[in-house]
Amino acid sequence: MKKQDFYFELPQELIAQEPLKDRASSRLLVLNKQGEIKHRIFWDILDYLKKGDCLVINDTKVLPARLIGQKKDTGAKIEVLLLKRKDINQWETLVKPGKKARVGDKIVFGGGKLEAEVSEIIEGGNRIIQFYYHGVFEEILDELGQMPLPPYITHHLEDKNRYQTVYAKQEGSAAAPTAGLHFTPELLNEIQKKGVSIAYITLHVGLGTFRPVKTENIVEHEMHSEYYIVEQEQADIINQAKKEGGRIIAVGTTSTRTLESIADESGLIKAASGWTNIFIYPGYHFKIIDSLITNFHLPESTLIMLVSALAGKENVLHAYDVAVAEKYRFFSFGDAMFIER
Protein backbone atom coordinates (compact mmCIF):
# COMPACT_ATOMS: atom_id res chain seq x y z
CA MET A 1 0.00 0.00 0.00
CA LYS A 2 1.44 3.34 -1.07
CA LYS A 3 1.64 6.62 0.82
CA GLN A 4 0.01 8.52 -2.06
CA ASP A 5 -3.08 6.29 -1.71
CA PHE A 6 -3.97 8.50 1.26
CA TYR A 7 -3.48 11.87 -0.41
CA PHE A 8 -6.22 14.47 -0.79
CA GLU A 9 -6.26 18.12 -1.82
CA LEU A 10 -6.66 20.48 1.13
CA PRO A 11 -6.93 24.24 0.67
CA GLN A 12 -4.72 26.09 3.17
CA GLU A 13 -7.62 28.26 4.36
CA LEU A 14 -9.42 25.20 5.79
CA ILE A 15 -6.68 24.60 8.39
CA ALA A 16 -8.23 25.93 11.60
CA GLN A 17 -5.92 28.42 13.31
CA GLU A 18 -8.02 29.09 16.41
CA PRO A 19 -10.50 27.13 18.52
CA LEU A 20 -14.19 28.01 18.43
CA LYS A 21 -15.58 29.93 21.40
CA ASP A 22 -17.94 27.06 22.23
CA ARG A 23 -16.17 23.70 22.11
CA ALA A 24 -19.30 21.66 21.35
CA SER A 25 -20.48 23.89 18.50
CA SER A 26 -17.97 22.57 15.98
CA ARG A 27 -19.37 20.67 13.04
CA LEU A 28 -19.68 16.89 13.07
CA LEU A 29 -19.53 14.70 9.97
CA VAL A 30 -21.15 11.33 10.68
CA LEU A 31 -19.92 8.44 8.52
CA ASN A 32 -21.41 4.96 8.74
CA LYS A 33 -19.96 1.69 7.47
CA GLN A 34 -22.01 1.93 4.26
CA GLY A 35 -20.26 5.22 3.48
CA GLU A 36 -23.35 7.35 4.12
CA ILE A 37 -22.68 10.86 5.38
CA LYS A 38 -24.69 13.21 7.61
CA HIS A 39 -23.81 16.74 8.69
CA ARG A 40 -24.49 17.72 12.31
CA ILE A 41 -22.92 19.76 15.09
CA PHE A 42 -20.81 18.13 17.79
CA TRP A 43 -23.43 18.42 20.54
CA ASP A 44 -25.56 16.08 18.38
CA ILE A 45 -23.17 13.25 19.22
CA LEU A 46 -25.78 12.56 21.90
CA ASP A 47 -28.12 11.28 19.16
CA TYR A 48 -25.59 8.61 18.18
CA LEU A 49 -24.67 7.29 21.62
CA LYS A 50 -26.78 4.54 23.17
CA LYS A 51 -27.35 3.22 26.66
CA GLY A 52 -24.71 0.60 27.39
CA ASP A 53 -22.05 2.16 25.15
CA CYS A 54 -18.66 3.03 26.64
CA LEU A 55 -16.85 6.23 25.67
CA VAL A 56 -13.07 5.90 26.14
CA ILE A 57 -11.21 9.18 26.55
CA ASN A 58 -7.55 10.09 26.96
CA ASP A 59 -6.99 12.23 30.07
CA THR A 60 -3.40 13.21 29.27
CA LYS A 61 -2.46 16.83 29.89
CA VAL A 62 -0.25 18.87 27.59
CA LEU A 63 2.81 20.41 29.20
CA PRO A 64 3.51 24.08 28.31
CA ALA A 65 6.76 22.59 27.08
CA ARG A 66 8.04 25.35 24.76
CA LEU A 67 10.54 27.61 26.54
CA ILE A 68 12.12 30.73 25.03
CA GLY A 69 15.41 31.74 26.61
CA GLN A 70 18.81 33.32 26.00
CA LYS A 71 22.32 31.94 26.10
CA LYS A 72 23.90 33.17 29.30
CA ASP A 73 27.18 34.25 27.68
CA THR A 74 25.94 35.86 24.43
CA GLY A 75 22.24 36.64 24.95
CA ALA A 76 21.38 34.76 21.73
CA LYS A 77 17.78 33.55 21.56
CA ILE A 78 17.31 29.83 22.19
CA GLU A 79 14.08 27.82 21.96
CA VAL A 80 13.86 24.63 24.05
CA LEU A 81 11.09 22.07 23.64
CA LEU A 82 10.76 19.52 26.44
CA LEU A 83 10.30 16.03 25.01
CA LYS A 84 10.88 13.45 27.73
CA ARG A 85 11.71 13.66 31.42
CA LYS A 86 14.86 11.69 32.27
CA ASP A 87 14.86 12.39 36.02
CA ILE A 88 13.53 15.07 38.37
CA ASN A 89 15.48 17.98 36.83
CA GLN A 90 16.78 16.51 33.58
CA TRP A 91 14.96 16.42 30.25
CA GLU A 92 15.52 15.26 26.71
CA THR A 93 14.84 18.32 24.57
CA LEU A 94 14.73 19.65 21.04
CA VAL A 95 16.73 22.87 20.80
CA LYS A 96 16.56 25.55 18.09
CA PRO A 97 19.01 26.55 16.75
CA GLY A 98 20.80 23.34 17.67
CA LYS A 99 24.23 24.54 16.54
CA LYS A 100 24.13 27.18 19.30
CA ALA A 101 23.57 24.61 22.05
CA ARG A 102 26.83 22.84 22.78
CA VAL A 103 27.65 20.73 25.82
CA GLY A 104 28.31 23.03 28.78
CA ASP A 105 26.31 25.96 27.37
CA LYS A 106 24.07 27.68 29.89
CA ILE A 107 20.59 29.05 29.08
CA VAL A 108 18.48 31.53 31.08
CA PHE A 109 14.67 31.72 31.04
CA GLY A 110 12.33 34.34 32.52
CA GLY A 111 15.11 36.66 33.63
CA GLY A 112 16.73 33.94 35.71
CA LYS A 113 13.66 32.22 37.22
CA LEU A 114 14.84 29.11 35.41
CA GLU A 115 18.36 28.23 34.27
CA ALA A 116 19.65 25.25 32.31
CA GLU A 117 22.84 23.63 31.13
CA VAL A 118 23.31 21.39 28.08
CA SER A 119 24.80 18.18 29.49
CA GLU A 120 24.75 15.84 26.48
CA ILE A 121 24.01 15.67 22.75
CA ILE A 122 22.33 12.38 21.85
CA GLU A 123 21.61 10.50 18.65
CA GLY A 124 19.35 12.49 16.34
CA GLY A 125 20.64 15.82 17.63
CA ASN A 126 18.40 16.16 20.69
CA ARG A 127 19.95 17.63 23.85
CA ILE A 128 19.88 16.40 27.43
CA ILE A 129 19.41 19.50 29.58
CA GLN A 130 19.78 19.91 33.35
CA PHE A 131 17.51 22.56 34.90
CA TYR A 132 18.23 24.71 37.99
CA TYR A 133 15.57 26.70 39.86
CA HIS A 134 14.04 27.57 43.22
CA GLY A 135 10.53 26.33 43.94
CA VAL A 136 8.36 23.85 42.02
CA PHE A 137 9.41 23.10 38.44
CA GLU A 138 5.83 22.56 37.21
CA GLU A 139 4.73 25.95 38.58
CA ILE A 140 7.68 27.71 36.91
CA LEU A 141 6.96 25.87 33.66
CA ASP A 142 3.30 26.89 33.82
CA GLU A 143 4.38 30.52 34.19
CA LEU A 144 7.14 30.62 31.57
CA GLY A 145 6.22 27.87 29.13
CA GLN A 146 4.13 28.10 25.99
CA MET A 147 1.95 25.40 24.46
CA PRO A 148 3.85 23.41 21.79
CA LEU A 149 1.25 23.96 19.08
CA PRO A 150 1.47 21.89 15.88
CA PRO A 151 3.58 23.39 13.07
CA TYR A 152 0.50 24.13 10.93
CA ILE A 153 -0.94 26.49 13.58
CA THR A 154 0.73 29.87 13.15
CA HIS A 155 -1.60 32.05 15.25
CA HIS A 156 -0.79 32.85 18.89
CA LEU A 157 -3.07 31.04 21.35
CA GLU A 158 -4.45 33.56 23.86
CA ASP A 159 -5.79 30.99 26.34
CA LYS A 160 -3.43 28.01 26.69
CA ASN A 161 -6.22 25.95 28.27
CA ARG A 162 -7.97 25.79 24.90
CA TYR A 163 -5.26 23.34 23.83
CA GLN A 164 -6.32 21.08 26.71
CA THR A 165 -9.36 18.84 27.03
CA VAL A 166 -11.70 19.79 29.89
CA TYR A 167 -10.79 16.47 31.55
CA ALA A 168 -7.00 16.72 31.12
CA LYS A 169 -5.35 15.42 34.29
CA GLN A 170 -2.15 13.39 33.77
CA GLU A 171 0.70 15.70 32.71
CA GLY A 172 3.08 14.42 30.08
CA SER A 173 2.00 15.18 26.52
CA ALA A 174 3.75 17.27 23.89
CA ALA A 175 0.50 17.54 21.90
CA ALA A 176 -3.20 17.42 22.71
CA PRO A 177 -5.48 14.44 22.00
CA THR A 178 -7.50 16.78 19.81
CA ALA A 179 -10.68 14.75 19.32
CA GLY A 180 -11.40 15.41 22.99
CA LEU A 181 -11.24 19.20 22.59
CA HIS A 182 -14.91 19.23 21.50
CA PHE A 183 -16.29 18.00 24.82
CA THR A 184 -17.64 20.28 27.55
CA PRO A 185 -18.48 19.27 31.14
CA GLU A 186 -22.17 19.79 30.28
CA LEU A 187 -21.98 17.47 27.28
CA LEU A 188 -20.17 14.77 29.25
CA ASN A 189 -22.87 15.02 31.92
CA GLU A 190 -25.62 14.57 29.31
CA ILE A 191 -23.78 11.59 27.85
CA GLN A 192 -23.69 9.86 31.24
CA LYS A 193 -27.38 10.63 31.78
CA LYS A 194 -28.09 8.53 28.69
CA GLY A 195 -26.54 5.52 30.40
CA VAL A 196 -23.24 5.72 28.53
CA SER A 197 -20.24 4.85 30.68
CA ILE A 198 -17.02 6.88 30.41
CA ALA A 199 -13.61 5.30 30.91
CA TYR A 200 -10.43 7.35 31.34
CA ILE A 201 -7.14 6.07 29.99
CA THR A 202 -3.83 7.87 29.48
CA LEU A 203 -1.53 8.03 26.47
CA HIS A 204 1.07 10.78 26.48
CA VAL A 205 1.12 12.12 22.95
CA GLY A 206 4.60 12.69 21.52
CA LEU A 207 5.75 15.02 18.76
CA GLY A 208 6.17 11.92 16.62
CA THR A 209 2.44 12.17 15.96
CA PHE A 210 3.32 14.95 13.48
CA ARG A 211 6.15 13.02 11.85
CA PRO A 212 5.40 12.50 8.14
CA VAL A 213 5.47 9.11 6.49
CA LYS A 214 8.63 9.21 4.36
CA THR A 215 8.57 5.70 2.91
CA GLU A 216 6.57 5.10 -0.29
CA ASN A 217 5.46 1.70 1.00
CA ILE A 218 3.63 2.53 4.24
CA VAL A 219 4.47 -0.86 5.78
CA GLU A 220 8.10 0.25 5.93
CA HIS A 221 7.24 3.32 8.06
CA GLU A 222 8.70 3.21 11.59
CA MET A 223 6.05 4.33 14.05
CA HIS A 224 6.93 6.54 17.02
CA SER A 225 6.55 5.17 20.54
CA GLU A 226 4.30 6.66 23.23
CA TYR A 227 3.70 5.83 26.91
CA TYR A 228 0.27 4.67 28.12
CA ILE A 229 -1.41 3.83 31.42
CA VAL A 230 -4.70 1.96 31.90
CA GLU A 231 -5.85 1.44 35.49
CA GLN A 232 -7.80 -1.69 36.51
CA GLU A 233 -10.91 0.29 37.49
CA GLN A 234 -11.11 1.79 34.00
CA ALA A 235 -10.37 -1.57 32.35
CA ASP A 236 -13.31 -3.04 34.29
CA ILE A 237 -15.66 -0.33 32.96
CA ILE A 238 -14.61 -1.05 29.38
CA ASN A 239 -14.80 -4.84 29.80
CA GLN A 240 -18.24 -4.69 31.37
CA ALA A 241 -19.62 -2.66 28.47
CA LYS A 242 -18.04 -5.08 25.98
CA LYS A 243 -19.42 -8.17 27.74
CA GLU A 244 -22.92 -6.65 27.86
CA GLY A 245 -22.95 -5.89 24.14
CA GLY A 246 -22.27 -2.15 24.33
CA ARG A 247 -20.08 -0.45 21.77
CA ILE A 248 -16.57 0.68 22.66
CA ILE A 249 -16.29 4.19 21.23
CA ALA A 250 -12.79 5.63 21.24
CA VAL A 251 -12.35 9.37 21.45
CA GLY A 252 -9.36 9.95 19.21
CA THR A 253 -6.63 7.92 17.61
CA THR A 254 -4.65 7.96 20.87
CA SER A 255 -7.39 6.09 22.76
CA THR A 256 -7.69 3.72 19.81
CA ARG A 257 -3.98 2.93 19.71
CA THR A 258 -3.86 2.37 23.47
CA LEU A 259 -6.81 -0.03 23.57
CA GLU A 260 -5.76 -1.95 20.47
CA SER A 261 -2.27 -2.33 21.99
CA ILE A 262 -3.49 -4.09 25.11
CA ALA A 263 -6.69 -5.90 24.05
CA ASP A 264 -6.65 -9.67 23.73
CA GLU A 265 -8.25 -11.51 20.82
CA SER A 266 -11.58 -11.67 22.64
CA GLY A 267 -11.66 -7.87 22.86
CA LEU A 268 -11.02 -7.59 26.60
CA ILE A 269 -8.27 -5.69 28.39
CA LYS A 270 -6.32 -5.74 31.65
CA ALA A 271 -4.66 -2.95 33.59
CA ALA A 272 -1.36 -2.18 31.91
CA SER A 273 1.28 0.46 31.31
CA GLY A 274 4.16 0.69 28.90
CA TRP A 275 5.18 1.92 25.48
CA THR A 276 3.30 1.34 22.25
CA ASN A 277 4.40 1.87 18.68
CA ILE A 278 1.38 0.17 17.11
CA PHE A 279 0.78 1.23 13.50
CA ILE A 280 -2.80 0.75 12.33
CA TYR A 281 -3.53 0.89 8.60
CA PRO A 282 -6.03 -0.79 6.23
CA GLY A 283 -6.09 -4.53 6.66
CA TYR A 284 -5.76 -4.28 10.44
CA HIS A 285 -8.24 -6.41 12.44
CA PHE A 286 -9.73 -4.34 15.27
CA LYS A 287 -10.00 -6.29 18.51
CA ILE A 288 -11.96 -3.92 20.73
CA ILE A 289 -12.88 -0.62 19.04
CA ASP A 290 -16.35 -0.38 17.48
CA SER A 291 -16.63 3.32 16.68
CA LEU A 292 -14.42 6.39 16.68
CA ILE A 293 -14.72 10.13 17.30
CA THR A 294 -11.86 11.91 15.60
CA ASN A 295 -10.76 15.15 13.93
CA PHE A 296 -9.80 15.59 10.27
CA HIS A 297 -6.17 14.64 9.68
CA LEU A 298 -3.28 15.53 7.40
CA PRO A 299 -2.99 13.95 3.94
CA GLU A 300 -0.72 10.88 3.89
CA SER A 301 -0.49 10.81 7.71
CA THR A 302 -0.52 7.73 9.94
CA LEU A 303 -3.71 9.13 11.46
CA ILE A 304 -5.73 9.10 8.23
CA MET A 305 -4.38 5.58 7.67
CA LEU A 306 -5.78 4.51 11.05
CA VAL A 307 -9.16 6.06 10.29
CA SER A 308 -9.15 4.34 6.89
CA ALA A 309 -8.49 0.99 8.57
CA LEU A 310 -11.71 1.40 10.56
CA ALA A 311 -14.07 2.88 7.96
CA GLY A 312 -12.49 1.82 4.65
CA LYS A 313 -10.08 3.92 2.60
CA GLU A 314 -12.57 4.77 -0.16
CA ASN A 315 -15.25 5.79 2.37
CA VAL A 316 -12.82 7.98 4.30
CA LEU A 317 -11.30 9.72 1.28
CA HIS A 318 -14.79 10.37 -0.11
CA ALA A 319 -15.85 11.81 3.27
CA TYR A 320 -12.73 14.02 3.27
CA ASP A 321 -13.57 15.29 -0.24
CA VAL A 322 -17.08 16.10 0.98
CA ALA A 323 -15.65 17.83 4.06
CA VAL A 324 -13.41 19.99 1.85
CA ALA A 325 -16.33 20.87 -0.44
CA GLU A 326 -18.48 21.75 2.59
CA LYS A 327 -15.62 23.81 4.05
CA TYR A 328 -15.17 21.88 7.27
CA ARG A 329 -12.32 23.10 9.47
CA PHE A 330 -9.31 20.74 9.58
CA PHE A 331 -6.71 19.50 12.08
CA SER A 332 -6.26 20.24 15.80
CA PHE A 333 -8.70 23.14 16.23
CA GLY A 334 -10.98 21.91 13.46
CA ASP A 335 -14.24 20.00 13.20
CA ALA A 336 -14.96 16.38 14.07
CA MET A 337 -15.99 13.11 12.47
CA PHE A 338 -17.92 10.22 14.03
CA ILE A 339 -17.32 6.85 12.44
CA GLU A 340 -20.36 4.77 13.32
CA ARG A 341 -20.13 0.99 13.11
Side-chain angles (χ1 to χ4, degrees), residues 4 10 14 33 44 69 80 92 132 164 166 210 259 264:
Q4 59 262 34
L10 179 67
L14 295 186
K33 61 184 177 183
D44 297 334
V80 174
E92 180 183 338
Y132 304 93
Q164 301 277 21
V166 296
F210 303 118
L259 292 179
D264 62 25

Side-chain angles (χ1 to χ4, degrees), residues 11 13-14 27 321-330 335:
E13 63 268 20
L14 295 186
R27 297 167 75 187
D321 286 341
V322 170
V324 168
E326 294 289 331
K327 298 195 181 317
Y328 274 69
R329 301 163 74 247
F330 275 68
D335 295 316

Side-chain angles (χ1 to χ4, degrees), residues 298-333:
L298 280 74
E300 299 182 339
S301 64
T302 59
L303 305 178
I304 194 172
M305 292 170 190
L306 183 154
V307 174
S308 296
L310 186 66
K313 180 169 68 72
E314 290 75 18
N315 286 345
V316 168
L317 290 177
H318 172 64
Y320 270 56
D321 286 341
V322 170
V324 168
E326 294 289 331
K327 298 195 181 317
Y328 274 69
R329 301 163 74 247
F330 275 68
F331 306 162
S332 297
F333 288 142

Side-chain angles (χ1 to χ4, degrees), residues 4-181:
Q4 59 262 34
D5 293 340
F6 300 90
Y7 180 78
F8 63 93
E9 290 282 350
L10 179 67
Q12 194 76 13
E13 63 268 20
L14 295 186
I15 299 174
Q17 292 296 318
E18 296 171 346
L20 296 178
K21 187 174 181 181
D22 174 16
R23 290 174 183 259
S25 67
S26 59
R27 297 167 75 187
L28 177 69
L29 187 150
V30 181
L31 175 68
N32 67 20
K33 61 184 177 183
Q34 287 80 35
E36 297 166 340
I37 291 171
K38 294 179 182 176
H39 304 287
R40 307 293 296 268
I41 64 167
F42 194 79
W43 185 272
D44 297 334
I45 194 70
L46 284 166
D47 296 338
Y48 295 92
L49 302 179
K50 305 168 189 172
K51 183 178 180 180
D53 287 344
C54 179
L55 201 66
V56 183
I57 58 183
N58 183 3
D59 65 359
T60 189
K61 190 172 185 179
V62 185
L63 288 166
R66 185 169 173 257
L67 289 162
I68 309 297
Q70 296 81 37
K71 284 188 68 176
K72 197 167 188 178
D73 55 351
T74 66
K77 180 181 174 182
I78 292 279
E79 179 180 323
V80 174
L81 186 64
L82 307 182
L83 298 177
K84 189 186 297 183
R85 198 170 206 155
K86 307 298 284 185
D87 64 31
I88 190 68
N89 293 322
Q90 197 174 68
W91 287 76
E92 180 183 338
T93 68
L94 178 65
V95 179
K96 295 181 183 178
K99 61 184 179 182
K100 290 188 178 179
R102 296 180 292 271
V103 172
D105 284 352
K106 294 180 171 60
I107 308 168
V108 180
F109 307 94
K113 288 184 179 178
L114 182 65
E115 296 195 9
E117 182 176 347
V118 180
S119 58
E120 185 182 349
I121 299 174
I122 60 176
E123 187 178 352
N126 290 350
R127 268 64 173 170
I128 303 297
I129 286 184
Q130 182 80 27
F131 286 97
Y132 304 93
Y133 54 91
H134 295 290
V136 179
F137 181 77
E138 285 75 13
E139 291 177 0
I140 296 170
L141 187 62
D142 193 51
E143 178 186 348
L144 301 181
Q146 301 174 18
M147 282 298 180
L149 295 177
Y152 47 74
I153 294 178
T154 57
H155 291 199
H156 175 69
L157 183 63
E158 293 294 334
D159 178 4
K160 66 173 70 174
N161 285 324
R162 290 310 308 272
Y163 194 58
Q164 301 277 21
T165 61
V166 296
Y167 45 77
K169 184 178 180 183
Q170 310 295 342
E171 287 192 332
S173 274
T178 55
L181 295 178

